[in-house]
Amino acid sequence: MSEILEAIDVDVPVRTAYDQWTQFETFPEFMDGVKSVRQLDDKTLEWTAKVGGKEKTWEARITEQKPDERIAWTATQGAHNAGVVTFHRLDEGRSRVTLQLDVDPDGPVENAGDALGIVKGRVKGDMERFKDFIEARGTETGAWRGPVDQSSN
């Protein structure tokens, strides 16, 4: 299992950054290799992405969601991964988005890619593209403000 930690400062209020991150269906617009993310219900996402040259589909369960603070998840089927994204107010119009991702590469191709830092590089690029995406828009494409806590899972 590899742990990836990446942070980026964005020139939007923390509420805007958080609200955009709740719009999972827009992830393919800034996440390299992600073909689609479908929200099946308030806590379940279905991901399809190209990983190690192969298309993979998996489900992830949102385990915690606190508006303007954090979203945590874990895969329940398919590709093994878990993570948390946190949102920190820097000032009125700036925030820091920090992503911690735990991935468990599957097979020799994914393990080699992980060892070469390909996954870490992809995550860094995704965060930079998120910054470009949200700053260019200046506002979120939508929002879901409902909380999810660990006791409700």
Coordinates of all heavy atoms in Angstrom, one line a residue, residues 4-83:
I4 N 0.0 8.6 -0.6 CA 0.3 9.8 -1.4 C -0.3 11.0 -0.7 O -1.5 11.0 -0.3 CB -0.3 9.7 -2.8 CG1 0.4 8.5 -3.5 CG2 0.0 11.0 -3.6 CD1 -0.3 8.1 -4.8
L5 N 0.4 12.0 -0.5 CA 0.0 13.3 0.2 C 0.3 14.4 -0.8 O 1.4 14.6 -1.1 CB 0.6 13.4 1.5 CG 0.2 14.6 2.4 CD1 -1.3 14.5 2.8 CD2 1.0 14.7 3.6
E6 N -0.7 15.2 -1.1 CA -0.5 16.3 -2.0 C -1.5 17.4 -1.6 O -2.6 17.2 -1.3 CB -0.9 15.9 -3.5 CG -0.4 16.8 -4.5 CD 1.1 17.0 -4.6 OE1 1.8 15.9 -4.6 OE2 1.6 18.1 -4.7
A7 N -0.9 18.7 -1.6 CA -1.7 19.8 -1.2 C -1.5 20.9 -2.3 O -0.4 21.0 -2.9 CB -1.3 20.4 0.2
I8 N -2.5 21.7 -2.4 CA -2.4 22.8 -3.4 C -3.3 24.0 -2.8 O -4.3 23.8 -2.2 CB -2.9 22.4 -4.8 CG1 -2.4 23.5 -5.8 CG2 -4.4 22.2 -4.9 CD1 -2.2 22.9 -7.2
D9 N -2.8 25.2 -3.0 CA -3.5 26.4 -2.6 C -4.3 26.9 -3.8 O -3.8 26.9 -5.0 CB -2.6 27.5 -2.2 CG -1.9 27.1 -0.9 OD1 -2.2 26.1 -0.2 OD2 -0.9 27.8 -0.5
V10 N -5.6 27.2 -3.6 CA -6.5 27.7 -4.7 C -7.0 29.0 -4.3 O -7.3 29.3 -3.2 CB -7.6 26.6 -5.0 CG1 -7.1 25.3 -5.5 CG2 -8.4 26.4 -3.7
D11 N -7.2 29.9 -5.4 CA -7.6 31.2 -5.2 C -9.2 31.3 -5.2 O -9.7 32.0 -6.1 CB -7.0 32.2 -6.2 CG -5.5 32.3 -5.9 OD1 -5.1 32.2 -4.8 OD2 -4.8 32.5 -6.9
V12 N -9.8 30.5 -4.4 CA -11.3 30.6 -4.2 C -11.5 30.4 -2.7 O -10.7 29.7 -2.0 CB -12.0 29.5 -5.0 CG1 -11.8 29.8 -6.5 CG2 -11.6 28.1 -4.7
P13 N -12.7 30.8 -2.2 CA -13.0 30.6 -0.8 C -13.1 29.0 -0.5 O -13.4 28.3 -1.4 CB -14.4 31.2 -0.6 CG -14.5 32.2 -1.7 CD -13.7 31.6 -2.9
V14 N -12.9 28.7 0.7 CA -13.0 27.2 1.1 C -14.3 26.6 0.7 O -14.4 25.5 0.2 CB -12.6 27.0 2.6 CG1 -13.7 27.5 3.5 CG2 -12.3 25.6 2.8
R15 N -15.4 27.4 0.9 CA -16.7 26.8 0.5 C -16.8 26.5 -1.0 O -17.4 25.4 -1.3 CB -17.8 27.8 0.9 CG -19.2 27.3 0.6 CD -20.3 28.3 0.9 NE -21.6 27.7 0.6 CZ -22.6 27.5 1.4 NH1 -22.4 27.8 2.7 NH2 -23.7 26.9 1.1
T16 N -16.3 27.3 -1.8 CA -16.3 27.0 -3.3 C -15.5 25.8 -3.6 O -15.9 24.9 -4.4 CB -15.7 28.3 -4.0 OG1 -16.5 29.4 -3.7 CG2 -15.7 28.0 -5.5
A17 N -14.3 25.7 -3.0 CA -13.4 24.5 -3.3 C -14.1 23.2 -2.8 O -14.2 22.2 -3.5 CB -12.1 24.7 -2.6
Y18 N -14.7 23.3 -1.6 CA -15.4 22.1 -1.0 C -16.6 21.8 -1.9 O -16.8 20.6 -2.3 CB -15.8 22.4 0.4 CG -16.7 21.3 0.9 CD1 -16.2 20.2 1.5 CD2 -18.1 21.4 0.8 CE1 -17.0 19.1 2.0 CE2 -18.9 20.4 1.2 CZ -18.4 19.2 1.8 OH -19.2 18.2 2.3
D19 N -17.4 22.7 -2.2 CA -18.6 22.5 -3.0 C -18.3 21.8 -4.3 O -19.0 20.9 -4.8 CB -19.4 23.8 -3.2 CG -20.2 24.2 -2.0 OD1 -20.2 23.5 -1.0 OD2 -20.7 25.3 -2.0
Q20 N -17.2 22.3 -5.0 CA -16.8 21.7 -6.3 C -16.4 20.3 -6.1 O -16.7 19.4 -6.9 CB -15.7 22.5 -6.9 CG -15.4 22.0 -8.3 CD -16.6 22.0 -9.2 OE1 -17.2 23.0 -9.4 NE2 -16.9 20.8 -9.8
W21 N -15.7 20.0 -5.0 CA -15.2 18.6 -4.8 C -16.4 17.7 -4.5 O -16.3 16.5 -4.8 CB -14.2 18.6 -3.6 CG -13.3 17.4 -3.7 CD1 -13.5 16.1 -3.3 CD2 -12.0 17.4 -4.3 NE1 -12.5 15.3 -3.6 CE2 -11.5 16.0 -4.3 CE3 -11.2 18.3 -4.9 CZ2 -10.3 15.6 -4.7 CZ3 -10.0 18.0 -5.4 CH2 -9.5 16.6 -5.3
T22 N -17.5 18.2 -4.1 CA -18.7 17.3 -3.9 C -19.4 17.0 -5.3 O -20.3 16.1 -5.3 CB -19.8 17.9 -3.0 OG1 -20.4 19.0 -3.6 CG2 -19.2 18.3 -1.6
Q23 N -18.9 17.6 -6.3 CA -19.5 17.3 -7.7 C -18.7 16.3 -8.4 O -17.9 16.5 -9.3 CB -19.6 18.6 -8.5 CG -20.4 19.7 -7.8 CD -21.8 19.2 -7.5 OE1 -22.6 19.0 -8.4 NE2 -22.1 19.0 -6.2
F24 N -18.8 15.0 -7.9 CA -17.9 13.9 -8.3 C -18.0 13.7 -9.8 O -17.0 13.3 -10.4 CB -18.3 12.7 -7.5 CG -18.3 12.9 -6.0 CD1 -19.4 12.9 -5.3 CD2 -17.1 13.0 -5.4 CE1 -19.4 13.1 -3.9 CE2 -17.0 13.2 -4.0 CZ -18.2 13.3 -3.3
E25 N -19.1 13.9 -10.4 CA -19.3 13.7 -11.8 C -18.4 14.5 -12.7 O -18.1 14.2 -13.8 CB -20.7 13.8 -12.3 CG -21.7 12.8 -11.7 CD -22.2 13.1 -10.3 OE1 -21.8 14.2 -9.7 OE2 -23.0 12.3 -9.8
T26 N -17.9 15.7 -12.1 CA -16.9 16.5 -12.9 C -15.5 16.1 -12.8 O -14.6 16.7 -13.4 CB -17.0 18.0 -12.4 OG1 -16.6 18.1 -11.1 CG2 -18.5 18.5 -12.5
F27 N -15.2 15.1 -12.0 CA -13.8 14.7 -11.8 C -13.1 14.4 -13.1 O -11.9 14.7 -13.2 CB -13.7 13.5 -10.8 CG -13.8 13.8 -9.4 CD1 -14.2 15.1 -8.9 CD2 -13.6 12.9 -8.4 CE1 -14.4 15.4 -7.6 CE2 -13.7 13.1 -7.0 CZ -14.1 14.4 -6.6
P28 N -13.7 13.7 -14.1 CA -13.0 13.5 -15.3 C -12.5 14.7 -16.0 O -11.6 14.7 -16.8 CB -14.0 12.7 -16.2 CG -15.0 12.1 -15.2 CD -15.0 13.1 -14.1
E29 N -13.0 15.9 -15.7 CA -12.6 17.1 -16.3 C -11.2 17.6 -15.8 O -10.5 18.3 -16.5 CB -13.6 18.2 -16.1 CG -14.9 18.0 -16.8 CD -15.9 19.1 -16.7 OE1 -15.5 20.3 -16.9 OE2 -17.1 18.9 -16.3
F30 N -10.8 17.1 -14.6 CA -9.5 17.4 -14.1 C -8.6 16.3 -13.6 O -7.5 16.5 -13.2 CB -9.6 18.6 -13.1 CG -10.4 18.3 -11.9 CD1 -10.0 17.6 -10.8 CD2 -11.8 18.7 -11.9 CE1 -10.8 17.3 -9.7 CE2 -12.6 18.4 -10.8 CZ -12.1 17.8 -9.7
M31 N -9.2 15.1 -13.6 CA -8.4 13.9 -13.1 C -8.0 13.0 -14.3 O -8.9 12.5 -15.0 CB -9.2 13.1 -12.1 CG -9.4 13.8 -10.8 SD -10.2 12.7 -9.6 CE -10.1 13.7 -8.1
D32 N -6.7 12.9 -14.5 CA -6.2 12.2 -15.6 C -6.5 10.7 -15.4 O -6.3 10.1 -14.4 CB -4.6 12.3 -15.6 CG -4.0 11.7 -16.8 OD1 -4.6 11.7 -17.9 OD2 -2.8 11.3 -16.7
G33 N -7.0 10.1 -16.5 CA -7.3 8.7 -16.5 C -8.7 8.3 -16.0 O -9.2 7.2 -16.2
V34 N -9.4 9.3 -15.3 CA -10.7 9.0 -14.8 C -11.7 9.2 -16.0 O -11.8 10.3 -16.5 CB -11.1 9.9 -13.6 CG1 -12.5 9.7 -13.2 CG2 -10.2 9.6 -12.4
K35 N -12.4 8.1 -16.3 CA -13.4 8.2 -17.4 C -14.7 8.7 -16.9 O -15.4 9.4 -17.6 CB -13.5 6.8 -18.1 CG -12.2 6.4 -18.8 CD -12.3 5.1 -19.4 CE -12.6 4.9 -20.7 NZ -12.0 5.4 -21.9
S36 N -15.2 8.2 -15.7 CA -16.4 8.6 -15.2 C -16.5 8.3 -13.7 O -15.8 7.5 -13.2 CB -17.6 7.9 -15.9 OG -17.6 6.5 -15.6
V37 N -17.3 9.2 -13.0 CA -17.7 8.9 -11.6 C -19.2 9.2 -11.6 O -19.7 10.2 -11.9 CB -16.9 9.9 -10.7 CG1 -17.4 9.6 -9.2 CG2 -15.4 9.8 -10.8
R38 N -19.9 8.1 -11.1 CA -21.3 8.2 -11.0 C -21.7 8.2 -9.5 O -21.2 7.3 -8.8 CB -22.1 7.1 -11.7 CG -22.0 7.2 -13.2 CD -22.9 6.2 -13.9 NE -23.0 4.9 -13.3 CZ -24.1 4.3 -12.9 NH1 -25.3 4.9 -13.2 NH2 -24.1 3.1 -12.4
Q39 N -22.5 9.1 -9.0 CA -22.9 9.0 -7.6 C -24.2 8.2 -7.6 O -25.2 8.6 -8.1 CB -23.2 10.4 -7.1 CG -23.5 10.4 -5.6 CD -23.1 11.7 -4.8 OE1 -22.7 12.7 -5.4 NE2 -23.1 11.6 -3.5
L40 N -24.1 7.0 -7.0 CA -25.2 6.1 -6.9 C -26.3 6.5 -5.8 O -27.4 6.2 -6.0 CB -24.7 4.7 -6.7 CG -23.7 4.2 -7.8 CD1 -23.3 2.8 -7.5 CD2 -24.3 4.3 -9.2
D41 N -25.8 7.0 -4.7 CA -26.6 7.5 -3.6 C -25.7 8.5 -2.8 O -24.6 8.8 -3.2 CB -27.2 6.4 -2.8 CG -26.2 5.5 -2.1 OD1 -25.1 6.0 -1.7 OD2 -26.4 4.3 -2.0
D42 N -26.2 9.0 -1.7 CA -25.5 10.0 -0.9 C -24.1 9.5 -0.5 O -23.2 10.3 -0.2 CB -26.3 10.4 0.3 CG -27.5 11.3 0.0 OD1 -27.6 11.7 -1.2 OD2 -28.3 11.5 0.9
K43 N -23.9 8.2 -0.4 CA -22.6 7.7 0.1 C -21.9 6.8 -0.8 O -20.8 6.3 -0.5 CB -22.9 6.9 1.4 CG -23.5 7.7 2.5 CD -23.7 6.8 3.7 CE -24.5 7.5 4.8 NZ -24.8 6.6 5.9
T44 N -22.4 6.5 -2.0 CA -21.8 5.5 -2.9 C -21.4 6.1 -4.2 O -22.3 6.7 -4.9 CB -22.7 4.3 -3.1 OG1 -23.1 3.8 -1.8 CG2 -22.0 3.1 -3.8
L45 N -20.2 5.9 -4.7 CA -19.7 6.3 -6.0 C -19.2 5.1 -6.8 O -18.6 4.2 -6.3 CB -18.5 7.3 -5.8 CG -18.7 8.5 -4.9 CD1 -17.4 9.2 -4.7 CD2 -19.8 9.4 -5.5
E46 N -19.5 5.2 -8.1 CA -19.0 4.2 -9.0 C -17.9 4.9 -9.9 O -18.3 5.8 -10.6 CB -20.1 3.6 -9.9 CG -19.5 2.5 -10.8 CD -20.6 2.0 -11.8 OE1 -20.9 2.8 -12.7 OE2 -21.0 0.9 -11.6
W47 N -16.7 4.4 -9.8 CA -15.6 5.0 -10.6 C -15.2 4.1 -11.8 O -15.2 2.9 -11.6 CB -14.3 5.1 -9.7 CG -14.4 6.1 -8.6 CD1 -15.1 6.1 -7.5 CD2 -13.6 7.3 -8.6 NE1 -14.9 7.2 -6.7 CE2 -14.0 8.0 -7.4 CE3 -12.7 7.9 -9.4 CZ2 -13.4 9.2 -7.0 CZ3 -12.2 9.1 -9.1 CH2 -12.5 9.7 -7.9
T48 N -14.9 4.7 -12.9 CA -14.3 4.0 -14.0 C -13.0 4.8 -14.4 O -13.2 6.0 -14.7 CB -15.2 3.9 -15.2 OG1 -16.4 3.2 -14.8 CG2 -14.6 3.1 -16.4
A49 N -11.9 4.1 -14.5 CA -10.6 4.8 -14.8 C -9.7 3.9 -15.5 O -9.8 2.7 -15.4 CB -10.0 5.4 -13.5
K50 N -8.8 4.5 -16.2 CA -7.7 3.7 -16.8 C -6.5 3.7 -15.8 O -6.0 4.7 -15.4 CB -7.3 4.4 -18.1 CG -6.5 3.5 -19.0 CD -6.4 4.0 -20.4 CE -5.8 2.9 -21.3 NZ -5.9 3.3 -22.7
V51 N -6.2 2.4 -15.4 CA -5.1 2.2 -14.4 C -4.1 1.2 -15.0 O -4.6 0.1 -15.3 CB -5.7 1.7 -13.1 CG1 -4.6 1.5 -12.1 CG2 -6.8 2.7 -12.6
G52 N -2.9 1.6 -15.1 CA -1.9 0.7 -15.6 C -2.2 0.2 -17.0 O -1.9 -1.0 -17.3
G53 N -2.8 1.0 -17.8 CA -3.2 0.7 -19.2 C -4.5 -0.1 -19.4 O -4.9 -0.5 -20.5
K54 N -5.1 -0.4 -18.2 CA -6.4 -1.2 -18.3 C -7.5 -0.4 -17.7 O -7.3 0.4 -16.7 CB -6.3 -2.5 -17.5 CG -5.3 -3.5 -18.0 CD -5.5 -4.8 -17.3 CE -4.3 -5.0 -16.3 NZ -4.3 -6.2 -15.6
E55 N -8.7 -0.6 -18.2 CA -9.9 0.1 -17.6 C -10.4 -0.7 -16.4 O -10.5 -1.9 -16.5 CB -11.0 0.2 -18.7 CG -12.1 1.1 -18.2 CD -13.1 1.4 -19.3 OE1 -12.7 2.1 -20.3 OE2 -14.3 1.0 -19.2
K56 N -10.6 0.0 -15.3 CA -11.1 -0.6 -14.1 C -12.3 0.2 -13.6 O -12.4 1.4 -13.7 CB -10.0 -0.6 -13.0 CG -8.8 -1.5 -13.3 CD -7.9 -1.6 -12.1 CE -6.9 -2.7 -12.3 NZ -6.3 -3.2 -11.1
T57 N -13.2 -0.6 -13.0 CA -14.4 0.0 -12.4 C -14.4 -0.4 -10.9 O -14.1 -1.6 -10.6 CB -15.7 -0.4 -13.1 OG1 -15.6 0.0 -14.4 CG2 -16.9 0.1 -12.4
W58 N -14.7 0.5 -10.0 CA -14.9 0.1 -8.6 C -15.9 1.0 -7.9 O -16.2 2.1 -8.4 CB -13.5 0.2 -7.9 CG -12.9 1.6 -7.7 CD1 -13.1 2.4 -6.7 CD2 -12.1 2.3 -8.7 NE1 -12.4 3.6 -6.9 CE2 -11.8 3.5 -8.1 CE3 -11.6 2.0 -9.9 CZ2 -11.0 4.5 -8.7 CZ3 -10.9 2.9 -10.6 CH2 -10.6 4.1 -10.0
E59 N -16.3 0.6 -6.8 CA -17.2 1.4 -6.0 C -16.5 1.9 -4.7 O -15.6 1.1 -4.2 CB -18.5 0.6 -5.5 CG -19.5 0.4 -6.6 CD -20.8 -0.2 -6.2 OE1 -21.0 -0.4 -4.9 OE2 -21.6 -0.5 -7.0
A60 N -16.8 3.1 -4.3 CA -16.3 3.6 -3.1 C -17.4 4.2 -2.3 O -18.4 4.6 -2.8 CB -15.3 4.8 -3.5
R61 N -17.2 4.1 -1.0 CA -18.2 4.5 0.0 C -17.7 5.7 0.7 O -16.5 5.7 1.2 CB -18.5 3.4 1.0 CG -19.6 3.8 2.0 CD -20.4 2.5 2.3 NE -21.6 2.8 3.0 CZ -22.8 3.1 2.4 NH1 -22.9 3.2 1.1 NH2 -23.9 3.3 3.1
I62 N -18.4 6.8 0.7 CA -18.1 8.0 1.5 C -18.3 7.7 3.0 O -19.4 7.3 3.4 CB -18.9 9.2 1.1 CG1 -18.6 9.5 -0.4 CG2 -18.6 10.4 2.0 CD1 -19.5 10.6 -1.0
T63 N -17.2 7.7 3.7 CA -17.3 7.3 5.1 C -17.4 8.6 6.1 O -17.9 8.4 7.2 CB -16.0 6.6 5.6 OG1 -14.9 7.4 5.3 CG2 -15.9 5.2 4.8
E64 N -17.1 9.7 5.6 CA -17.2 10.9 6.4 C -17.3 12.1 5.4 O -16.5 12.2 4.5 CB -16.0 11.1 7.3 CG -16.2 12.2 8.3 CD -15.0 12.3 9.2 OE1 -13.9 11.7 9.0 OE2 -15.1 13.1 10.2
Q65 N -18.2 13.0 5.7 CA -18.3 14.3 4.9 C -18.8 15.4 5.8 O -19.9 15.3 6.4 CB -19.2 14.1 3.7 CG -19.2 15.2 2.7 CD -19.8 14.8 1.4 OE1 -19.9 13.6 1.0 NE2 -20.3 15.8 0.7
K66 N -17.9 16.4 6.0 CA -18.2 17.5 6.9 C -18.1 18.8 6.0 O -17.0 19.1 5.5 CB -17.3 17.6 8.1 CG -17.4 16.5 9.1 CD -16.5 16.8 10.3 CE -16.7 15.6 11.2 NZ -15.7 15.7 12.3
P67 N -19.2 19.5 5.7 CA -19.1 20.6 4.8 C -18.0 21.6 5.2 O -17.8 21.9 6.4 CB -20.5 21.3 5.0 CG -21.4 20.1 5.3 CD -20.5 19.2 6.2
D68 N -17.2 22.0 4.1 CA -16.1 22.9 4.2 C -14.9 22.4 5.0 O -14.0 23.2 5.2 CB -16.6 24.3 4.8 CG -17.7 24.9 4.0 OD1 -17.8 24.6 2.8 OD2 -18.4 25.7 4.5
E69 N -14.9 21.1 5.4 CA -13.8 20.6 6.1 C -13.2 19.3 5.5 O -12.0 19.3 5.3 CB -14.2 20.2 7.6 CG -14.6 21.4 8.4 CD -15.0 21.0 9.8 OE1 -14.6 19.9 10.3 OE2 -15.8 21.8 10.4
R70 N -14.0 18.3 5.2 CA -13.4 17.0 4.8 C -14.3 16.1 4.1 O -15.5 16.1 4.4 CB -12.7 16.3 5.9 CG -13.6 15.9 7.0 CD -12.9 15.4 8.3 NE -12.3 14.1 8.1 CZ -11.0 13.9 8.3 NH1 -10.2 14.8 8.7 NH2 -10.5 12.7 8.1
I71 N -13.8 15.3 3.2 CA -14.5 14.2 2.6 C -13.6 13.0 2.7 O -12.4 13.0 2.2 CB -14.9 14.5 1.2 CG1 -15.8 15.7 1.1 CG2 -15.7 13.3 0.6 CD1 -16.0 16.2 -0.3
A72 N -14.0 11.9 3.3 CA -13.2 10.6 3.3 C -14.0 9.5 2.7 O -15.2 9.5 2.7 CB -12.9 10.3 4.8
W73 N -13.2 8.5 2.1 CA -13.9 7.4 1.4 C -13.0 6.2 1.5 O -11.8 6.3 1.8 CB -14.1 7.8 -0.1 CG -12.8 7.9 -0.8 CD1 -12.2 7.0 -1.5 CD2 -12.0 9.1 -0.9 NE1 -11.0 7.5 -2.1 CE2 -10.9 8.8 -1.7 CE3 -12.1 10.4 -0.4 CZ2 -9.9 9.7 -2.0 CZ3 -11.1 11.3 -0.7 CH2 -10.0 10.9 -1.5
T74 N -13.6 5.1 1.1 CA -12.8 3.8 1.0 C -13.5 3.0 -0.1 O -14.7 3.0 -0.2 CB -12.8 3.0 2.3 OG1 -11.9 2.0 2.2 CG2 -14.1 2.6 2.8
A75 N -12.7 2.3 -0.9 CA -13.2 1.4 -1.9 C -13.9 0.2 -1.2 O -13.4 -0.3 -0.2 CB -12.1 1.0 -2.8
T76 N -15.0 -0.2 -1.8 CA -15.7 -1.3 -1.2 C -15.7 -2.5 -2.2 O -16.0 -3.6 -1.8 CB -17.2 -1.0 -0.9 OG1 -17.8 -0.4 -2.1 CG2 -17.3 0.1 0.2
Q77 N -15.5 -2.2 -3.5 CA -15.4 -3.2 -4.5 C -14.3 -2.8 -5.5 O -14.2 -1.6 -5.8 CB -16.7 -3.4 -5.3 CG -17.8 -3.9 -4.5 CD -19.1 -3.9 -5.3 OE1 -19.1 -3.8 -6.5 NE2 -20.2 -4.1 -4.7
G78 N -13.6 -3.7 -6.1 CA -12.7 -3.4 -7.2 C -11.3 -2.8 -6.7 O -10.8 -3.3 -5.7
A79 N -10.8 -1.8 -7.4 CA -9.5 -1.3 -7.1 C -9.4 -0.8 -5.6 O -10.2 -0.1 -5.1 CB -9.2 -0.1 -8.0
H80 N -8.4 -1.3 -4.9 CA -8.2 -1.0 -3.5 C -7.6 0.4 -3.3 O -6.5 0.7 -3.7 CB -7.3 -2.0 -2.8 CG -7.8 -3.4 -2.9 ND1 -9.0 -3.8 -2.2 CD2 -7.4 -4.5 -3.6 CE1 -9.2 -5.1 -2.5 NE2 -8.3 -5.5 -3.4
N81 N -8.4 1.3 -2.7 CA -7.9 2.6 -2.4 C -8.8 3.2 -1.3 O -9.9 2.8 -1.1 CB -7.9 3.5 -3.6 CG -9.3 3.8 -4.1 OD1 -9.9 4.7 -3.7 ND2 -9.7 3.1 -5.1
A82 N -8.3 4.2 -0.6 CA -9.0 5.0 0.4 C -8.3 6.3 0.5 O -7.2 6.5 0.1 CB -8.9 4.2 1.8
G83 N -9.0 7.3 1.0 CA -8.4 8.6 1.1 C -9.3 9.6 1.8 O -10.4 9.3 2.3

